[in-house]
Structures are given as C-alpha cells and as structure tokens.
C-alpha cells in the first residue's frame, strides 16, 4: 500500500507537474505573440532562409575562384554591395573591375538541371521528375544591376559585362544558353576570354574608389533596410 502511494506521488512530481508547467509556458508564449503590436513584431532578419544561405555559398565560391585564379593587379574584386537604384537600392553579388570591362556577376547555387532561354521571363530549376520550380531570369535581374552601376560610376552600359554563374558542382545547363551563363567549371575561362582593353587606368581607379566606399558595404542593418523596401509593397 505504501509503495503504491509512493509511486503515485512520484509520478505526479516527475511527470504531471512538469507537463502542466510546460503547457502553461506555451500558452503564455502564444498569448504574448497574439497580443504583440504590429509595430513591435520582430523585423526580418537577413540571410536566414535556405535560399539566402545558398545564395551566400554561391557568392563565396565565386570570391574564392576570383581571388585565387585571377591576377589581383588586373582584376579588382568587390563583393556583396548595396548601391542606390533610382528610388530604391539594389544588392549585387560580385563585381570585377578590369581593363577589359566591369563584370557584374549574379550567382545561383542550384543543384540539378536548368532550363530557359535568354529572353524568357522565367527559367526552370529541376531536381527530379517530381521536383521543379520556376525562378526569375537572372540575366534580366542582372541588367538592373548594370543600370544602377552605370549611373553610380557615371559610365556607359557598354563598359559592363553581365555574367550569371551557377556555382553548384552538380548543376547542369540543359538548354542552349548564351556564353555569359556559366558553370563553376568555365566561369574563369569566360572572364579571361575578354582580351580587348576598354578601360584606362584612370577610369579603373575612379571606379574602384567609388566601389570601395564604406557606405555600399552590405552590413546587416543595410541589408535589413534593403529588404524592407520589398515588404512595404
């Protein structure tokens, strides 16, 4: 009899009471979330979802390739800048300033197969027969980047080269794409295929000076402000 009573009391203290406490805490947290004013809700945190993290990986792959395989005295590299674009801002993955032009590089870290055409609004990413999704044509996206850079640097758009780089090692381009849509394996070869000098030293120095300004660095606060402009629509 005593042992049975002891086991019941022990069960109440070890199982029931902690469970009641956890349920009360969960209810309190939900009530707090429901009553939190809209203006006090937690702001968007940049680089937290999976797509953004994949994008960051792709950008870093390009950075490693550029810094290790291109002559730094000729190719001046800039990474992850937020610059003005008319009434908004635009975020650019990678920029290379060289005598052969300014390369503006949009990176995608996709495994699988890529389908699309140069003028199509949407391209398709396929992982398997049952897994596919559409994404915006990155060439069109990159053209907006070039327009913003052209205005910022006060240079004609003809001085810029748009490049889209799919950096995942298991990515395949399954339709005919223009040469400026690259894989990781041929990205450097494409950059080095430009041999005609179109920018003089003064122009290169002026462009690098502008792009080196601290105000363009994509700090967490600036990324937050950049993303917020899309939330307001």
């Amino acid at each position: 009899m005593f042992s049975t009573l002891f086991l019941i009391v022990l069960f109440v203290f070890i199982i029931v009471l902690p469970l009641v406490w956890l349920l009360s805490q969960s209810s309190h947290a939900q009530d707090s979330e429901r009553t939190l004013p809209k203006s006090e809700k937690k702001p968007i945190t940049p680089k937290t979802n999976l797509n953004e993290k994949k994008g960051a990986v792709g950008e870093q792959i390009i950075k490693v390739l550029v810094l290790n395989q291109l002559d730094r005295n000729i190719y001046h590299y800039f990474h992850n800048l937020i610059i003005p674009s008319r009434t908004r801002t635009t975020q650019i993955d990678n920029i290379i300033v060289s005598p052969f032009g300014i390369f503006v590089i949009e990176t995608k870290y996709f495994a699988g197969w890529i389908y699309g055409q140069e003028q199509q609004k949407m391209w398709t990413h396929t992982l398997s027969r049952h897994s596919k999704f559409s994404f915006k044509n990155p060439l069109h996206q990159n053209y907006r980047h070039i327009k913003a850079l052209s205005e910022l640097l006060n240079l004609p758009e003809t001085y810029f080269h748009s490049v889209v780089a799919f950096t995942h090692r298991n990515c395949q381009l399954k339709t005919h794409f223009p040469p400026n849509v690259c894989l990781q394996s041929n990205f450097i070869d494409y950059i080095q295929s430009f041999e005609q000098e179109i920018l003089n030293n003064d122009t290169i120095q002026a462009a690098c000076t502008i792009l080196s300004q601290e105000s363009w660095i994509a700090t967490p606060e600036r990324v937050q402000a950049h993303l917020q402009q899309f939330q307001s629509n």
Side-chain angles (χ1 to χ4, degrees):
M1 177 68 179
F2 175 78
S3 60
T4 301
L5 182 60
F6 176 77
L7 289 174
I8 292 174
V9 173
L10 187 64
F11 175 80
V12 169
F13 275 94
I14 295 178
I15 304 297
V16 177
L17 289 181
L19 182 59
V20 171
W21 181 83
L22 287 173
L23 289 174
S24 67
Q25 293 297 311
S26 175
S27 175
H28 175 71
Q30 291 175 359
D31 290 342
S32 299
E33 176 66 21
R34 284 195 294 268
T35 58
L36 187 64
K38 185 176 181 180
S39 61
E40 295 180 14
K41 287 188 178 180
K42 187 176 180 180
I44 304 165
T45 302
K47 301 292 184 183
T48 54
N49 66 51
L50 184 58
N51 287 336
E52 289 170 340
K53 290 180 180 178
K54 286 183 176 180
V57 172
E59 294 165 18
Q60 289 300 316
I61 289 173
I62 292 298
K63 180 178 180 179
V64 170
L65 288 173
V66 170
L67 295 182
N68 284 280
Q69 298 189 38
L70 294 178
D71 187 338
R72 300 187 192 187
N73 293 318
I74 299 175
Y75 298 92
H76 308 277
Y77 175 76
F78 300 88
H79 166 66
N80 197 16
L81 303 184
I82 295 178
I83 66 171
S85 176
R86 300 295 174 92
T87 59
R88 294 190 171 193
T89 57
T90 189
Q91 187 170 9
I92 304 177
D93 295 342
N94 303 274
I95 304 169
I96 302 172
V97 180
S98 78
F100 316 106
I102 299 174
F103 298 88
V104 185
I105 305 150
E106 175 68 19
T107 59
K108 299 294 180 186
Y109 190 70
F110 293 164
W113 295 352
I114 306 298
Y115 297 86
Q117 299 294 331
E118 184 175 3
Q119 299 303 325
Q120 281 183 328
K121 184 177 180 180
M122 304 296 293
W123 290 0
T124 302
H125 172 210
T126 301
L127 281 170
S128 68
R129 186 184 308 173
H130 306 291
S131 176
K132 64 173 60 177
F133 67 89
S134 297
F135 62 100
K136 292 181 180 180
N137 183 335
L139 288 172
H140 296 173
Q141 179 183 2
N142 216 27
Y143 177 65
R144 292 191 292 271
H145 295 162
I146 287 176
K147 287 185 69 68
L149 278 170
S150 175
E151 293 180 5
L152 178 67
L153 302 178
N154 194 27
L155 293 173
E157 293 178 18
T158 53
Y159 285 2
F160 296 83
H161 305 302
S162 176
V163 184
V164 173
F166 289 91
T167 55
H168 197 291
R169 66 178 62 186
N170 293 325
C171 181
Q172 297 182 45
L173 305 179
K174 301 301 288 185
T175 50
H176 176 73
F177 288 96
N180 60 330
V181 179
C182 308
L183 296 173
Q184 178 188 156
S185 58
N186 68 324
F187 166 74
I188 293 295
D189 287 341
Y190 178 73
I191 299 297
Q192 293 180 325
S193 69
F194 290 83
E195 298 178 344
Q196 181 179 353
E197 296 187 6
I198 59 176
L199 299 181
N200 60 37
N201 289 334
D202 290 341
T203 304
I204 292 171
Q205 184 60 48
C208 290
T209 298
I210 293 173
L211 295 176
S212 298
Q213 292 179 16
E214 185 180 346
S215 53
W216 313 134
I217 298 174
T219 62
E221 294 77 16
R222 289 174 184 142
V223 172
Q224 175 66 42
H226 170 70
L227 295 176
Q228 196 63 46
Q229 68 187 348
F230 302 106
Q231 296 297 316
S232 60
N233 290 337

